[in-house]
Amino acid sequence: MSDEAGPSTIRSEAPERPLPSAPFYSIEYPGYVKPESVPLAVSHLGGPSRLETAFKRTAAKNEALLELNLRPGNPFAHPIPGDIVSTNNILLKVVRRKRKQPDGECVGEFTAEAVGIIPKTARFRSMADYQFQPDMNDPLAQLRLAMDRMDVDAIRQYSIPEEKEDYVIQASIHPPELDPALAEQSERTSESPSNLRLFPPPLFSRQNVPQNYNFKANPASIVTTLVNEETGEERKRLINKGRWKGHGPVTIAFSDPNVPEGPPPTVENVRTQSNSELLNRILEFMNERPVWTRAALYNQFSPAESREIHNSKVIMPLAGYMFSDGPWRDAMIRFKYDPRKEFDARIYQRIYFRNANHPVARPSVVARRQEGRSAATYINRSIEQEESFEADRRKSHIFDGKSLTKETAAFQLCDIHDPMLKEMIEDDENLREVCDERDGWYSARALERIKTVLRHKFFSLLQGYVATEEECESLLEQDAVGKSQTTRIKRLKFGKHNMAKGALRPEDAAAARLQATLDRNAKTLLANRREMYGSGSSQTPDNPR
């Protein structure tokens, strides 16, 4: 067959070339770069050390972000963000040689050679941020430059200037040779420049990818006319009919006399949009226990079901209502059930105190920008990882005094299983006859004692040890005589002891633990001596010792 094939079917195989393993890194610089201006372009990217850190294999997310500063030395200029992406490119070296033909015509010959591979490339595909240049002669701008230079003398000499209230720069007087007609026209068209001494924030816009809207209006938006009832003035505005409408549980204040008997009509109309199976299960839980926190209720479901309940925005408003204040604040309550009139509802009261040392894990703009471009982030959020913490998640709303399941303390009294605290909660003494807005059915002293012990036990677990009953009793005695040593003078930084009300200082807690240990050892030693001497005296009565 090959002998009969024509010349058009003849195929020639490309020759194989060795691929060098030398790695190179590429930068797609958004600008013209000449050979003599390469050092300047590198300095705008932060220098060779910054590039080396960004391109290394073990670079963290915040280190793998490059910033192109086109105005170096200006602290108010916003750089252009860039990203390091993985590539499989080949670096070619192309050489052109010119040869003259006998007729005098120049002919170029090109040769290409593979020099290495490009595993990573720096790209600048994000939109540049808005720029604003303040007056650099302003004292505050000079202070900012002095802080960059670490000029201690300039920083110490800075003082807040007096407010002159010159918020507008007056227009300059026109020269006398200017035509009066032209001067009047110039005054009408020109605006007085502002002198508000505004300084730009670190970032104007978080939108780094342009939206392709093709300069068209939203097709779901329609023009509606609104009439002011007082003045009768008509004005038009655009309403997005396709927008998502959220629904929330009915919220009442503690001072409201009545409680809701059912969901509002706006929520009842969208009942068909909810998952009936999940809604029926929640209603069953509400019948068994009339008051739930969201965390406790979500822990009764699987992670996928909890996510569906949270994203539905319709299921929870159909299940109950909430208080905006009082001892049952932010808890889901069954319709027609008023805990202010039910004495047994005291065990459903909610105790919450914040941990000032708990770091707020807010991802930065840099981290979100990197995660948005990394598919590995979504792979890490796998179901296997959620299942590994399923057991701890199921009991995150329970406090037993021995294990710590979360770093924020928000518990209902019925979910506290610590023996000492449970005995104090179930004690029916020092209770009120009328429900109070601050303390509920407990007296102020009884609820404060519960909070004091709970705080101490909770922060002891944060420090890595289980608080003893001797420590708690000693703490209650100090609180009773008004000699508590837990006053916090200043806000402590993360990593220090949280001096919340009811928690001992580290040295006082260590001393209390040591004293409790010594007391236990003394009692044990005394009991052993009595047992030993008692048995010895019965065997050798003549022994004086």
Side-chain angles (χ1 to χ4, degrees):
M1 181 181 297
S2 61
D3 296 340
E4 299 177 357
S8 60
T9 59
I10 298 176
R11 298 180 180 179
S12 61
E13 297 181 357
E16 296 183 359
R17 304 290 184 184
L19 182 62
S21 59
F24 291 87
Y25 298 116
S26 173
I27 299 176
E28 297 179 359
Y29 193 86
Y32 295 102
V33 180
K34 295 182 180 181
E36 59 271 14
S37 62
V38 171
L40 182 61
V42 173
S43 65
H44 288 177
L45 294 171
S49 60
R50 184 69 185 89
L51 292 175
E52 183 180 358
T53 303
F55 278 115
K56 67 181 181 181
R57 182 179 301 178
T58 58
K61 290 182 178 180
N62 57 344
E63 296 178 349
L65 182 69
L66 284 177
E67 290 184 344
L68 174 60
N69 196 342
L70 298 178
R71 288 187 289 172
N74 189 343
F76 303 106
H78 293 175
I80 302 175
D83 302 290
I84 306 297
V85 296
S86 300
T87 54
N88 296 316
N89 299 335
I90 301 175
L91 180 61
L92 297 179
K93 178 182 178 182
V94 180
V95 180
R96 178 189 178 188
R97 291 185 177 88
K98 295 182 179 180
R99 291 186 180 182
K100 288 187 178 182
Q101 297 292 340
D103 55 359
E105 183 181 358
C106 293
V107 178
E109 294 182 359
F110 295 89
T111 58
E113 178 186 0
V115 180
I117 58 176
I118 304 177
K120 290 184 178 182
T121 302
R123 293 176 178 173
F124 296 87
R125 303 291 178 85
S126 301
M127 292 190 301
D129 196 13
Y130 299 98
Q131 305 291 327
F132 180 82
Q133 179 59 41
D135 183 12
M136 298 305 294
N137 296 325
D138 191 274
L140 194 58
Q142 293 297 324
L143 175 64
R144 179 67 174 84
L145 295 177
M147 296 175 65
D148 286 344
R149 299 192 306 266
M150 295 301 294
D151 190 350
V152 180
D153 296 335
I155 296 175
R156 296 181 61 182
Q157 293 175 2
Y158 173 78
S159 61
I160 301 177
E162 296 182 0
E163 189 65 38
K164 299 180 180 179
E165 299 185 0
D166 52 345
Y167 304 130
V168 177
I169 300 177
Q170 298 296 333
S172 60
I173 302 176
H174 299 285
E177 62 271 10
L178 188 62
D179 186 4
L182 296 177
E184 183 180 358
Q185 182 180 1
S186 176
E187 291 179 358
R188 290 197 306 266
T189 56
S190 62
E191 297 180 357
S192 300
S194 174
N195 191 29
L196 290 180
R197 300 176 62 244
L198 299 177
F199 291 88
L203 197 66
F204 277 114
S205 174
R206 295 186 178 184
Q207 189 72 19
N208 51 11
V209 179
Q211 296 183 1
N212 187 17
Y213 62 95
N214 294 328
F215 296 95
K216 295 182 179 179
N218 187 355
S221 298
I222 61 174
V223 179
T224 57
T225 303
L226 301 179
V227 180
N228 192 337
E229 297 180 356
E230 298 180 356
T231 61
E233 181 183 359
E234 295 184 358
R235 60 188 182 95
K236 297 182 179 180
R237 59 178 299 185
L238 292 174
I239 302 292
N240 186 3
K241 292 297 184 179
R243 72 183 187 278
W244 178 83
K245 297 181 180 179
H247 301 279
V250 178
T251 303
I252 64 173
F254 187 86
S255 58
D256 292 344
N258 301 322
V259 299
E261 297 185 357
T266 55
V267 178
E268 191 68 37
N269 295 334
V270 294
R271 179 184 288 268
T272 56
Q273 300 179 7
S274 63
N275 189 329
S276 58
E277 181 180 355
L278 294 178
L279 178 59
N280 293 333
R281 290 177 58 186
I282 291 179
L283 294 178
E284 292 178 0
F285 287 124
M286 299 295 287
N287 291 330
E288 297 175 0
R289 171 174 156 181
V291 184
W292 291 80
T293 60
R294 285 181 180 267
L297 195 58
Y298 287 167
N299 288 346
Q300 312 304 317
F301 298 87
S302 64
E305 293 173 341
S306 301
R307 192 180 303 110
E308 183 178 355
I309 294 173
H310 179 75
N311 295 335
S312 173
K313 307 300 182 183
V314 178
I315 296 180
M316 299 300 287
L318 290 171
Y321 70 98
M322 301 174 64
F323 276 105
S324 60
D325 55 356
W328 296 278
R329 179 173 62 92
D330 295 339
M332 290 297 303
I333 306 174
R334 186 178 65 204
F335 288 118
K336 300 181 181 180
Y337 182 83
D338 192 350
R340 300 168 297 182
K341 301 178 181 179
E342 299 292 337
F343 186 77
D344 296 336
R346 68 183 188 278
I347 62 174
Y348 303 127
Q349 291 183 202
R350 182 173 176 266
I351 293 181
Y352 170 80
F353 52 90
R354 65 186 183 91
N355 177 13
N357 291 339
H358 178 53
V360 180
R362 276 188 174 181
S364 62
V365 178
V366 173
R368 287 197 297 269
R369 184 183 294 138
Q370 289 295 97
E371 290 181 1
R373 293 174 171 82
S374 177
T377 305
Y378 302 97
I379 298 177
N380 293 335
R381 300 174 186 172
S382 59
I383 301 179
E384 297 178 357
Q385 186 178 7
E386 295 181 358
E387 292 179 352
S388 63
F389 298 100
E390 178 67 15
D392 295 336
R393 187 192 68 83
R394 288 279 186 173
K395 57 181 182 180
S396 62
H397 63 287
I398 297 176
F399 182 78
D400 58 0
K402 298 180 180 179
S403 58
L404 184 66
T405 55
K406 57 182 179 180
E407 296 186 4
T408 55
F411 304 101
Q412 285 183 272
L413 297 181
C414 60
D415 293 329
I416 298 177
H417 297 172
D418 180 77
M420 183 177 182
L421 286 170
K422 193 172 183 179
E423 182 180 356
M424 298 171 64
I425 294 171
E426 295 177 353
D427 187 6
D428 55 358
E429 297 183 1
N430 297 324
L431 297 180
R432 297 177 183 269
E433 296 181 358
V434 179
C435 184
D436 182 69
E437 182 178 357
R438 180 178 179 272
D439 304 318
W441 291 103
Y442 290 89
S443 63
R445 180 176 179 275
L447 189 63
E448 188 62 31
R449 287 170 60 88
I450 295 175
K451 291 181 179 180
T452 300
V453 176
L454 179 60
R455 286 191 186 98
H456 181 66
K457 285 179 173 288
F458 183 80
F459 287 112
S460 299
L461 292 177
L462 286 179
Q463 291 182 342
Y465 76 97
V466 178
T468 61
E469 292 190 6
E470 290 82 0
E471 295 179 24
C472 299
E473 292 175 356
S474 175
L475 188 62
L476 292 176
E477 292 177 359
Q478 294 179 13
D479 188 59
V481 298
K483 297 181 179 179
S484 177
Q485 303 177 359
T486 61
T487 303
R488 183 171 65 181
I489 301 177
K490 61 181 181 179
R491 181 183 177 91
L492 300 180
K493 296 181 179 180
F494 174 67
K496 301 293 183 180
H497 179 69
N498 191 322
M499 301 300 295
K501 186 178 179 181
L504 290 175
R505 289 190 174 91
E507 58 272 16
D508 297 335
R513 292 197 302 271
L514 179 60
Q515 185 64 39
T517 304
L518 292 176
D519 294 343
R520 288 196 302 269
N521 293 341
K523 292 180 181 179
T524 304
L525 181 61
L526 182 61
N528 293 338
R529 285 183 177 180
R530 289 177 178 176
E531 182 179 358
M532 181 178 64
Y533 293 154
S535 60
S537 60
S538 61
Q539 294 176 2
T540 57
D542 298 335
N543 188 356
R545 302 180 64 183

